[in-house]
Amino acid sequence: MDLPEDAGSGPRTGADGPSTSAAVGGGLRLIIRTDGAARSNPGPASAGAVLIDAARPNARAPLAAPLATISDYLGIQTNNVAEYTATVRALGLAAELGASEVHLMLDSKLIVEQVHGRWRVKDAKLKPLHAEVQARLKGFRRWSAVHVPRAQNSAADALCNAAIDRALAGGPASVVVRPDPEIER
């Protein structure tokens, strides 16, 4: 299945072109939806991510069945730090799963514009996170990042809310669901 080019969001590969990193996996293509949340700003914060096999027929559907998920409590952070942290962690998990392509569908216009280099990163707290996102994207053969309406990001948002609620109730700070290696994709 070919993923359509996204009009107006810049190149599908990073600014430095495609990477030939040895860390690139064997062809898994992932749709990644991330969200960050902070109850107050700053406040109790979390990161949520849904990673979906792009080969699935409905992979771009907002509630497509995930291959893997992340639900992390981050302590007291700003919303933008939480949004970036979710993206960093999702890209890390995508690399761990062997993805060669990632297609980010984010409700954070700030991250999308900064990753494409159209907006400057002014906030000192975001600069190292932005640099980490850029570095991780270079590990993939191909990537894209598009802005989607918040309503299309409800699965990642639910993982954020679950992380805060779980951690504040004394549960684990992080829950990462990975695919069962016994199940063939």
Side-chain angles (χ1 to χ4, degrees), residues 76-143:
I76 305 300
Q77 297 292 342
T78 66
N79 187 71
N80 287 339
V81 166
E83 294 275 5
Y84 258 108
T85 301
T87 305
V88 166
R89 292 187 180 174
L91 291 171
L93 182 54
E96 178 186 317
L97 295 174
S100 62
E101 293 184 26
V102 293
H103 303 282
L104 302 168
M105 299 179 77
L106 312 177
D107 66 7
S108 172
K109 188 165 182 72
L110 178 79
I111 293 177
V112 170
E113 296 299 327
Q114 289 178 338
V115 164
H116 282 291
R118 293 187 290 256
W119 291 359
R120 290 183 307 139
V121 181
K122 298 176 189 176
D123 186 333
K125 294 182 302 299
L126 300 183
K127 287 181 180 184
L129 292 165
H130 175 263
E132 189 166 354
V133 166
Q134 293 292 81
R136 288 181 186 237
L137 286 171
K138 288 179 183 177
F140 299 101
R141 180 175 57 83
R142 192 171 175 183
W143 65 269

Side-chain angles (χ1 to χ4, degrees), residues 24 46 62 79 88-89 91 155 160-161 163 168 171 181:
V24 170
S46 60
N79 187 71
V88 166
R89 292 187 180 174
L91 291 171
C160 286
N161 286 319
L168 295 180

Side-chain angles (χ1 to χ4, degrees), residues 155-167:
D157 180 66
L159 290 165
C160 286
N161 286 319
I164 294 172
D165 294 342
R166 184 181 60 244

